[in-house]
Structure formats: structure tokens, C-alpha cells
Amino acid sequence: MNKILTRQLTTFRLNGEDVAAEVVPGERLSETLREQFDARDVKIGCNAGDCGACTVLLDGKPVCACLTPVHQAEGRNVETLRGLVSEDPASRRLVETFQDKGAAQCGICTPGMIVSATALLRRDPSPDEEAVEDALGGVLCRCTGYRKIIDAVVEAGDLQADQRPESAGSVGEDIRRLDGHGKVHGTEAFGDDVAPAGTLEIKLIRSPFPHAAFVFGDLDAYVATRPGIEAVLTAADVAGLNRFGVIPGFEDQPVFAETETRFRGEAVAAVIGTPSAMRVFDPEEFPVTWTALDSVATVTDALADSAPLLHDDRKGNVMCGGFVACGDAQSALKSADVTVEGQFDSGFVEHAYIEPEAGYAEIRDGRVEVHACTQAPVMDLDALEAILGMDREKIRIIPTGVGGGFGSKLDISLQPYLAISALKTGRPVRLTYSRTESMQSTTKRHPAAIKLKIGATKDGRISGFDFYGDFNTGAYASWGPTVANRVPVHASGPYRIADYRAESKGVHTHCPPSGAFRGFGVPQSALAQETLFDELADKLGMDALEFRLLNALEDNVPTVCGQIFGQGVGIKPCLEALRPSWNDEREAVEEFNEVSRTEGHTIKRGVGIGAGWYGCGNTSLPNPSTIKAGIRADGTLVLHQGAMDIGQGANTVITQIFATALGVPAGQIERVGADTDVTPDAGKTSASRQTFVSGNAARLSGEAMRSDILKLANASSAAAITIGDGVIEITEAGESHLIELSRLEPDAEGYVLRSEETYDPPTKPLDENGQGVPYAQFGYAAHLAVVEIDIRLGTARVVKFVAAHDVGRAINPMLVEGQVQGGIAQGLGMALMEEYLPGRTENLHDYLIPTIGDIPPIETHIIEQPDAHGPYGAKGLGEHVLIPTAPAILNAITHAAGVRVRSVPVTPARLRAAIKSAEPK
């Protein structure tokens, strides 16, 4: 109970300097480097050697610092990214090529990638792709899809490679990420990087059962008998509302459970202590008694009459539902010449961002300041205002860098614990979830159970579509209402369907809450719709691509919600872009399979396609963003950009849009990031809204500032603007006019010129049949996958992707490609390997995500069908990129193996079982 750990002196060489550290036995090298030598370029993602983010060189060889005890470094040479980029020519080349190729997105894995790549280039100065994949196979990335990382490392070995030319960074131009320097140098500060060494630490007590009652013992005695433990928090310490949520009316999740927990990993208490006390902290000693209660894990069990009720006000465990109908689906199906139907199942999918939830809080000038990784700082502020029972003016949210989010970091997680702990102790506190905690307690992609029937006339026109989906929303609502309402709008796919009915329900179970995950339920519905389209085309004797083209939406054709777009419907151009590859790859596959059959191999290949669409922004709800900018008397141009960049490139894209509207180079702009004290609300980073919505706000802000500047010289809109030291030069028709900024009166923020503009997409509410204007714009996509399977083993491997995406206008084509590749990697994981099993897959060893060797070459076609509302015609992209991926893979598996698998992931066991059941008896 009163454990004492003796510290020992360990000496080693760190980045060229001799250092000494006092460490306890077994202390991780990663901890020593980060906490004693401030080597925060060594990132922590798992503490289990699974992710590789903490990779350093030990006597020149890459090792996971989290698995290396410090004593093993005694007398040896340790190199981290920080030292390598200052001394090693190979590392310096990698820093440049990673930026030139867009190989760093969120940046949390980048130090591990560059350190591992440095070791490779030292022994092989000109590696090929295979060598890169082998050398970097131990470092996981969840954002990029790895292809740009491979390109960057290969190019770093080519000393003759051209550097990316400089550019003004106008809309449509490839430029480096404007925030890329910190990512490639390891100085980007993520949630666990901001707390000073020695800060008080928080540990959470979590339920070991899916459903349990609990009672506490003597908490005062627990604190009194443990040196270094400062306080224990429970629900009694929540001064305001002990509930939170993201949808009004669905705030149902407690900060601390009060008498009963509803999922494994739910928090009931927090222990605050010094770092030395928390090092020996044992949660098994905490005075709490658990009583396991009956639980339900599946929708079927939860809907049963005998099922325990999770929430008293939600009869039958049904949270809510969604509905869209037009025409008469049942009559159309009865009169259809051909029909197909099926049941489809998908499981939980873990976000698996490499950065676990982490942050730091302190009391400053009587206000609580929370620094944490988040996708929605103003939503965090709203939640803490209610939870703390404080005036929001006394709360400040300062987001850190975000090492991946994909939707889960929209929900608050550790923010209340940080804030309450800082208020309770009056001292700075920090909290970093372990990988197990993160996977136990944060949101997942909704498991879906879908029934779908589709009909068609003999000429190939869709005639009747009847969709029903149950979605496992877990213990609490989170974004479940959004999923339930978004799915029926999207379940048709981007096709003209006159007779349509789609219904969905969110159902509570004793599982972790299901929330937002890149697509909000649309990837699940696309699995059913796109694979049945292949079956329908097959029954009709039609080519699968031609069937889709025949039924695809066009301008001035109504969607299933009755919405009509006069321009910008880009699904047909996306499908047409696949036609050459569709023809070529099917011919190549036929030849491959013939050779394989002749030679007696069990390997076969298939080609599949899938398409998708996605509405950008909130469904039929207000969705505003505000962007502010100012010019100081010395000529400094500042953009207050509050749209969280979680790796997708918002910092760069929104700056490019503003710069283009104002008429200045993007590199001239100084950016102030999200901070609820100084940056206007640019809305949450979700639903593919930032390029569209915040981009429009940036455009309006840039245009407003440009207009104000031109008025000072009575110049026309054709004039050129140059902002210099203390002056603005306006040039028109060969004449120049200088504006001395020191003569203008500064405002309270020191700006002599400023602009602040808001954009809210035009939408209309849906009626009882889901008819209305749910989104101002949709984005469109189509994917082709070539899959190789081993009939005997049931293994499936994707060997090529071709992806066509209509982005309206590619603000930065390099970033578009990066988003496409990253989304495809996640879609591949959903299709073939990723399945979160509560209580079983709570680490990155048991839960598999794609590695660098799993992602094949990806050919990207950028389609630009301008949108009427988007900034310079641009459309959102983030969610769209994985919606067609899994359906394309499943259709390719069917082409190769002749069997249809309707549950994902298609593991070898599932595929082999399907193949075996289809074999002649």
C-alpha cells in the first residue's frame, strides 16, 4: 500500500550529449526522455510496442522507446527526431520530402516514421517501395493511407529529385501544409505534450463489467493512508449537471456514474496524485464494491421483452429513429421485373487514432483553462459550462494538436475530469488515457443490422427500394440521433429512386457508446445498397458500371428527399472516370485467373466497384462558421482560424481560400488557431463541413477585408493589393497608391483593419416523410478495387484501388489525394479486418488496423463539378472517401470467389466458410 521505489542513476548519450537520469527500476525510456529531458518529439500512442510512434534509434537501430527499459540504454547512444533533424542529412531530406509529398497529416506518427526511415536511409541510401514497407512496417498511421509516406521516403533517397516549387498558395495550387513544420520536426504539441513535468496526475476508476451496481467504501481513509494522493472525485464533486451529450435532448451520459454503470470502462471516480504516487497506484486497492447485473450486447437482445432497460424514458431500449419516403416503394417492388434482397451486418469499428485522449488543466486568474485534443472546442465549452455550473466566461478551452480524431474527439471525454480536478486541488493537473482506456470508453462506429429489398424494370431502371436498419448505439446517445436521421437520407446512394422507403432505429445496449465515425452510418448503408446493386445488375444481365450510370442522379433530378440541385451533381463523371480501369482490370483479371487455374493455383482475382455520396454539414439544422482576420499597423496580417485541423488540412485550405479572396500570398498570413478566448466559433470539425462552411466564412472575410482596403484608395475590384511593412500598396492600371497603416486607428486587439464574417448553409427542415432540403451540397465518389483471394485459406488482399472523387474545386490537390488515400485505408480496414469486441480487443495488438504493407497503389481521379454554394465551387471530402471502399471490395470478392459475404469484416474465417458452403456437396 505504501510502496517505495528506489531511484537509480543511469547515464547515456542523447542526441550527441552525455546525460544522466535518476530512474526507478523498469522505467520506460520513453518516459525518461519525455519527462526528464523534455523530448516531446518522442510520441506515445500505446505503451505496448504496437504503434511505433515512440521509435528512437538506440546505437543506430530503431526501437520502441516504450518497450525499452532505461537501464538498457546505459552507456549507449540514443537519437530522437529532434537530434536527427539537426545533425543527420538523411533526416533533413526526409523533413523536406515529407512536406513536399503531404506525408504528414495529423503528425502524431510522423516522428516514428522519420526516425525509422532515417535508419533505413543510413543502410540503404536509395530504397525501393518494398524496402520502405519493410522498414516502416512497425509504425502505424491512421490518417495518410501510407502511400505518401512511401513516396516521401523513396524520394528522400533520390538526391536528384526536384524540390516542390514555391507558390502563392491560391485556390487550386498544391502547397505544403502551412502547419507542417511542427509535424515533421516533432514540435507539434499534442494533448500529452503540454503539461509541465511534475504536474499532478489523474487516474480513473472504471467499471470492469458491462452493467453493474457499485458502492464506495471509506474514501477519506483511502486518501489519508496513501502519501501523495491529493483527492478523490466522484459524482458528488460535479457542481453542475452530471450529464453530457452532443444532441439537445439527448444529454444522457454521466461524468461519473452515480449508482450503476452501463458499459465496461465507464468511470465512477477519479484519483488525483503526484507523479510518484501515481506510479505505484493500484486501481484494485480503490474502495469500491461491484455487483454485476444482467446486460445486453446486441440489438436483438436489447429489443427483447425481457431485456433490462438502460434508460427509463426510452421504451424498449429504442433511442430514436429516422424516416424518409417518397412514392410507393411496396407497389413498385410488387410490379418490378426483378428484385433482390438481403440482410447485412457490420460490427463495432474503433477509431484507433494514434493519439489517445490527453490533456492538461490549470486555474489561471480565477478561470479554469483546459488544454486537450478535441474536434469541437466550443462544444467542449458548452458542455463544461453545464457540468461545472460556472459562467462560461470563467472557462477557456485551448485545443492542443489533435493526433487523429475521425469523429470520436467530437464528444467530450477527459475534459470534465481535468476541469473538476483543477478546481478541486487548485493546482495544474494532467490526464492521458491508456490505450486500453481509450478503446474501452470512447465512441465507436455503430454496428448495423440492415434489411434491404430493391427492384428494377427489365430495362435496368430502379423500381422500388425498401430499407430498414437497426443501429447499436451503445449505452448512451452520443451522435446516435444523427446517425439514425442521416442514414435514411443517404441509403439510396446517389441514384434516382422514385419509389423509396427507408427507416432506421438507434437501439441501446450495454456496450461503449457509438458515435461519429467518418460517415455517420452511411458506410454501413452503402454496403447493403451497393452490393445489392451488383446482384441486381447480374440478374438483369447488365454491366455493373452501366447499371449505375443508367440510374445515377444528374442535375435537376430530385433526390429521395425531393431536393433538386441545378448544378454540381458529380456522380456520373466519377463513374465515367472509372470506365477505362473497369474495362482494363476485368480483362487483366480474366487472364490472371486463367493462368492460375491452368497452373493449379488457389489464388483468384476479382474487380469490384462501389459509389457513394455524402451531405456536407448538419442535417436540416443551422451550421454556422465564423472567421475573423485583422491587419496590424506594422503590416502583420492575422487570420483567426478556429476550425480544428485534425490532419485533414483545414489550416492550409481555409488559409488558401482567405488568401485568394483577399488577393495576397497564403504564406504571408499569420494564423491564430482555435482558442475560445480569441478565435470565433468555426463550428465542429465533422460531417465534411470545414472546407465548405468555414471555407465560405473565410472567403467572405477575405472579400470583406479586400473591399475595405480598396475603398481606402477608391480602387476597383481589379486592383492588386500588396501588404508590406507598415503599408498597403494598391496597384491599378499602372498606378500605385500607398496606405500608411500607422495613420489608421487600432481597435482593442490592435488591428487597424479587420473583418469578421459568418456563413451558414441554406437548408430546410424535413417533414414527416423526410422531404425537404437536408444539405446545401453533396459530394460524390466512386471506387474500383482489385482483390486477390486464396480460395483454400479464405484470405483476401487488395492489390489496387482506383478512386474518383468530385470535390467541386480542389483547393489543394495534394491534400485531396491524401484524404482519399487515408479514407480508403480506413474503408479497407472496415471491410477486411477491423472488428471491435467489447472486453476483448482493447489494444492495438488484438485490434488490427491496416499497416503500411496492406495498402496497395491508389490511382486518384479528382473530379471538379463546381457546387453552387461552395467556396470557389468546393465541396467537402472527409467522409466521402471511405463510403464506396468496402462495397467495392465486397463486390470484387464476389467476382473472384463467386460468393457473397454480407457481414463485415470479411475475415479469412468468414470468407472461407462462405466459399465452403458454396462448394458442391
Side-chain angles (χ1 to χ4, degrees):
M1 189 165 65
N2 292 307
K3 300 171 186 173
I4 298 176
L5 296 178
T6 304
R7 290 189 170 270
Q8 302 171 342
L9 187 68
T10 298
T11 60
F12 55 93
R13 194 163 180 81
L14 174 62
N15 294 328
E17 296 183 4
D18 292 327
V19 298
E22 288 190 353
V23 300
V24 300
E27 183 171 316
R28 302 173 193 267
L29 177 60
S30 54
E31 180 184 351
T32 305
L33 293 174
R34 287 175 56 83
E35 301 304 322
Q36 295 198 41
F37 300 108
D38 199 33
R40 300 295 169 94
D41 52 317
V42 179
K43 305 301 183 184
I44 306 299
C46 67
N47 266 335
D50 294 324
C51 76
C54 66
T55 300
V56 300
L57 299 185
L58 186 60
D59 288 342
K61 294 183 179 180
V63 299
C64 286
C66 73
L67 290 186
T68 305
V70 185
H71 74 263
Q72 289 189 3
E74 176 72 40
R76 301 172 73 181
N77 186 35
V78 177
E79 296 170 280
T80 74
L81 178 63
R82 181 173 64 188
L84 292 172
V85 297
S86 64
E87 299 293 336
D88 191 285
S91 296
R92 290 199 291 271
R93 290 199 305 275
L94 287 163
V95 160
E96 300 304 320
T97 58
F98 263 62
Q99 293 180 87
D100 285 343
K101 294 296 184 181
Q105 288 191 16
C106 80
I108 189 72
C109 74
T110 305
M113 291 289 184
I114 293 180
V115 169
S116 298
T118 298
L120 169 64
L121 292 178
R122 284 177 174 177
R123 66 177 184 268
D124 182 359
S126 299
D128 58 16
E129 286 193 12
E130 184 178 355
V132 174
E133 290 181 3
D134 183 60
L136 273 60
V139 186
L140 295 178
C141 175
R142 192 58 159 167
C143 298
T144 66
Y146 300 104
R147 299 307 307 180
K148 290 190 175 295
I149 294 172
I150 295 171
D151 292 344
V153 179
V154 170
E155 183 162 303
D158 180 2
L159 300 181
Q160 307 304 315
D162 295 331
Q163 288 190 333
R164 179 177 293 276
E166 290 190 11
S167 164
S170 298
V171 163
E173 295 182 333
D174 281 340
I175 63 169
R176 289 177 167 189
R177 288 175 180 267
L178 297 174
D179 56 1
H181 183 275
K183 299 177 189 295
V184 297
H185 285 82
T187 56
E188 175 93 350
F190 297 97
D192 194 41
D193 297 335
V194 295
T199 301
L200 290 178
E201 298 177 6
I202 306 168
K203 299 288 186 181
L204 294 171
I205 305 299
R206 298 183 180 277
S207 173
F209 303 105
H211 186 202
F214 65 95
V215 293
F216 294 124
D218 191 338
L219 299 181
D220 291 337
Y222 174 81
V223 173
T225 56
R226 284 161 176 77
I229 299 298
E230 299 291 319
V232 168
L233 304 178
T234 67
D237 295 285
V238 180
L241 180 68
N242 188 31
R243 291 288 184 277
F244 63 88
V246 291
I247 307 296
F250 289 89
E251 299 91 344
D252 59 0
Q253 186 166 352
V255 176
F256 292 109
E258 297 174 3
T259 59
E260 177 184 321
T261 59
R262 295 181 175 90
F263 70 94
R264 172 180 163 86
E266 185 166 6
V268 299
V271 180
I272 311 165
T274 62
S276 58
M278 303 318 281
R279 180 183 293 279
V280 297
F281 170 76
D282 183 354
E284 295 296 322
E285 295 178 353
F286 187 83
V288 58
T289 301
W290 301 97
T291 302
L293 303 174
D294 291 341
S295 63
V296 288
T298 68
V299 165
T300 300
D301 290 343
L303 294 174
D305 292 339
S306 59
L309 195 63
L310 276 85
H311 300 275
D312 292 340
D313 59 343
R314 296 176 192 168
K315 185 178 179 181
N317 287 321
V318 175
M319 176 191 61
C320 69
F323 182 75
V324 172
C326 62
D328 188 339
Q330 295 304 325
S331 294
L333 286 168
K334 287 178 182 177
S335 62
D337 295 314
V338 176
T339 62
V340 294
E341 59 185 309
Q343 297 186 32
F344 300 82
D345 297 287
S346 65
F348 286 108
V349 182
E350 162 67 21
H351 293 76
Y353 27 72
I354 305 304
E355 179 206 24
E357 292 71 14
Y360 161 78
E362 62 179 338
I363 307 301
R364 184 183 292 271
D365 299 325
R367 304 171 72 217
V368 60
E369 293 187 354
V370 177
H371 306 249
C373 51
T374 178
Q375 294 179 234
V378 175
M379 289 178 63
D380 291 357
L381 176 60
D382 294 339
L384 288 184
E385 179 185 19
I387 291 167
L388 301 180
M390 291 175 63
D391 188 321
R392 67 191 291 115
E393 296 300 320
K394 294 185 177 181
I395 306 168
R396 184 181 185 183
I397 307 296
I398 308 173
T400 65
V402 182
F406 318 115
S408 187
K409 289 176 183 174
L410 288 167
D411 296 69
I412 63 169
S413 54
L414 46 63
Q415 292 90 331
Y417 310 123
L418 288 167
I420 297 170
S421 297
L423 289 166
K424 177 88 170 183
T425 64
R427 295 166 61 184
V429 293
R430 68 192 293 187
L431 172 57
T432 300
Y433 282 6
S434 69
R435 176 57 59 180
T436 296
E437 282 185 292
S438 178
M439 295 183 74
Q440 277 185 352
S441 66
T442 60
T443 60
K444 312 287 175 257
R445 185 183 295 285
H446 285 72
I450 292 170
K451 297 178 182 179
L452 177 58
K453 185 174 184 179
I454 313 174
T457 58
K458 59 186 176 183
D459 63 353
R461 300 279 182 180
I462 297 172
S463 179
F465 189 108
D466 188 16
F467 174 100
Y468 181 83
D470 280 328
F471 290 80
N472 184 340
T473 202
Y476 300 106
S478 181
W479 291 93
T482 300
V483 169
N485 284 281
R486 187 176 282 264
V487 165
V489 174
H490 287 80
S492 64
Y495 303 96
R496 172 59 176 140
I497 304 177
D499 298 291
Y500 176 86
R501 186 185 188 281
E503 184 178 358
S504 63
K505 282 195 310 217
V507 180
H508 285 296
T509 64
H510 292 102
C511 294
S514 298
F517 190 170
R518 212 169 193 169
F520 284 98
V522 181
Q524 296 95 304
S525 65
L527 278 170
Q529 163 249 317
E530 284 291 315
T531 54
L532 282 186
F533 276 1
D534 260 33
E535 290 189 37
L536 202 51
D538 189 49
K539 273 194 170 185
L540 291 163
M542 289 185 68
D543 176 89
L545 175 60
E546 297 302 333
F547 174 82
R548 287 170 171 81
L549 283 165
L550 177 66
N551 290 284
L553 282 171
E554 298 179 280
D555 292 348
N556 300 308
V557 174
T559 70
V560 292
C561 291
Q563 186 173 6
I564 296 175
F565 293 94
Q567 71 174 82
V569 179
I571 186 57
K572 275 196 171 182
C574 288
L575 289 166
E576 286 288 1
L578 297 184
R579 188 188 294 276
S581 296
W582 176 244
N583 294 331
D584 292 346
E585 295 298 339
R586 286 192 301 165
E587 183 177 337
V589 158
E590 287 181 10
E591 294 176 1
F592 178 94
N593 290 340
E594 179 59 27
V595 171
S596 181
R597 185 189 64 78
T598 302
E599 296 182 356
H601 299 311
T602 60
I603 306 297
K604 297 187 72 174
R605 286 186 176 180
V607 184
I609 56 172
W613 66 338
Y614 192 80
C616 301
N618 293 347
T619 309
S620 295
L621 292 171
N623 195 19
S625 279
T626 301
I627 297 288
K628 180 175 77 175
I631 299 176
R632 299 192 184 111
D634 63 0
T636 302
L637 173 58
V638 181
L639 179 67
H640 291 251
Q641 200 294 92
M644 287 304 302
D645 194 322
I646 61 173
Q648 84 280 26
N651 285 332
T652 302
V653 165
I654 291 171
T655 305
Q656 284 185 262
I657 291 171
F658 174 81
T660 299
L662 179 56
V664 301
Q668 186 174 0
I669 298 170
E670 180 181 301
R671 180 175 43 80
V672 174
D675 178 333
T676 57
D677 268 14
V678 299
T679 309
D681 184 11
K684 59 189 178 294
T685 291
S686 73
S688 300
R689 63 176 298 279
Q690 292 295 18
T691 295
F692 169 37
V693 183
S694 295
N696 258 327
R699 175 184 60 81
L700 293 170
S701 186
E703 290 173 350
M705 179 170 282
R706 178 177 176 82
S707 177
D708 289 346
I709 291 171
L710 294 178
K711 286 176 184 176
L712 294 174
N714 198 27
S716 77
S717 60
I721 293 173
T722 303
I723 302 175
D725 293 337
V727 298
I728 297 177
E729 182 179 10
I730 301 173
T731 306
E732 185 174 19
E735 296 185 1
S736 294
H737 184 89
L738 292 180
I739 299 171
E740 295 186 19
L741 296 174
S742 61
R743 295 187 176 183
L744 302 179
E745 188 70 26
D747 65 10
E749 293 181 90
Y751 294 134
V752 297
L753 290 164
R754 63 175 289 139
S755 60
E756 183 170 336
E757 298 292 330
T758 298
Y759 178 78
D760 192 3
T763 61
K764 293 181 182 179
L766 301 181
D767 65 17
E768 67 276 7
N769 288 316
Q771 300 301 292
V773 181
Y775 311 105
Q777 68 164 220
F778 283 80
Y780 304 88
H783 290 177
L784 176 150
V786 182
V787 175
E788 182 176 283
I789 66 170
D790 188 317
I791 298 293
R792 182 174 57 88
L793 299 177
T795 55
R797 181 176 69 93
V798 186
V799 297
K800 182 179 181 180
F801 278 110
V802 183
H805 285 266
D806 170 29
V807 299
R809 178 75 183 278
I811 304 299
N812 186 317
M814 179 175 69
L815 300 187
V816 169
E817 286 187 352
Q819 281 292 285
V820 171
Q821 293 172 1
I824 283 175
Q826 291 187 352
L828 182 150
M830 175 183 174
L832 297 181
M833 63 184 71
E834 296 188 43
E835 187 171 29
Y836 176 83
L837 303 173
R840 292 174 57 188
T841 53
E842 296 176 345
N843 56 65
L844 293 176
H845 179 75
D846 296 317
Y847 184 87
L848 302 180
I849 68 171
T851 69
I852 198 168
D854 293 313
I855 309 302
I858 299 170
E859 179 184 326
T860 302
H861 297 272
I862 298 176
I863 309 299
E864 296 182 299
Q865 296 286 114
D867 179 76
H869 300 288
Y872 303 105
K875 301 170 184 172
L877 177 65
E879 331 290 288
H880 316 66
V881 290
L882 66 70
I883 291 169
T885 308
I889 293 171
L890 263 63
N891 287 333
I893 288 172
T894 297
H895 185 214
V899 298
R900 301 194 182 277
V901 184
R902 290 179 171 169
S903 294
V904 292
V906 185
T907 59
R910 284 185 176 137
L911 181 53
R912 180 59 195 142
I915 293 170
K916 190 173 182 180
S917 66
E919 291 173 348
K921 298 293 189 286

